[in-house]
Amino acid sequence: MSDVFNAWLNGYRQIFDYKGRARRRDFAWFLLLQLVAFFAVASVTSILFGNSGMITETVASALMMVTILTTLSYNVRRLHDCDQSGWWCFGYLILAGVFIVASLMLRPTDGSNQYGPDPRATTR
């Protein structure tokens, strides 16, 4: 369970890190826990401050911005693991969900590539 939580925390630890690689499993856990956390915080904020309050809208906007930044940087590292350029993330402007699913399905390259060492080899 600590691997799952660490995968989620790594999204925040590396929020502005667009270099290196990320494992498919870690990115999937990050997305799942981020979705749960987003709805939990949004629900608690809505209950505490009401549905139409300025505080609720501010918290939701800040949370959405952080979610976008962490997901983008994690996805760039995930694409690097597949030996793809992070510039493919410009596709978020068009079809965000398709690119997230595609990056989860891409097979990683074995061994080191131009973006760094194999993250699977360093965690064993």
Side-chain angles (χ1 to χ4, degrees):
M1 189 59 141
S2 67
D3 287 343
V4 173
F5 190 67
N6 280 330
W8 183 65
L9 283 179
N10 281 339
Y12 291 100
R13 289 180 189 131
Q14 299 173 332
I15 191 170
F16 298 111
D17 183 10
Y18 294 92
K19 293 183 169 100
R21 296 167 65 173
R23 297 178 67 171
R24 180 179 12 194
R25 178 192 70 189
D26 293 343
F27 185 47
W29 280 121
F30 169 78
L31 290 174
L32 180 64
L33 290 178
Q34 188 65 18
L35 184 66
V36 169
F38 180 81
F39 283 113
V41 170
S43 297
V44 168
T45 305
S46 179
I47 290 168
L48 292 176
F49 301 107
N51 288 333
S52 61
M54 176 116 169
I55 294 173
T56 303
E57 292 172 8
T58 303
V59 168
S61 296
L63 191 58
M64 183 60 77
M65 183 59 76
V66 169
T67 299
I68 289 170
L69 288 173
T70 54
T71 304
L72 180 65
S73 66
Y74 226 129
N75 198 27
V76 166
R77 292 190 307 274
R78 176 68 199 121
L79 287 170
H80 287 172
D81 191 39
C82 306
D83 206 20
Q84 298 295 317
S85 171
W87 289 105
W88 281 105
C89 286
F90 274 121
Y92 277 131
L93 300 174
I94 302 167
L95 299 168
V98 171
F99 281 91
I100 289 173
V101 171
S103 68
L104 281 170
M105 296 176 70
L106 289 172
R107 181 165 166 68
T109 55
D110 292 325
S112 296
N113 66 21
Q114 66 181 347
Y115 298 104
D118 189 345
R120 293 171 292 157
T122 59
T123 59
R124 288 183 189 173

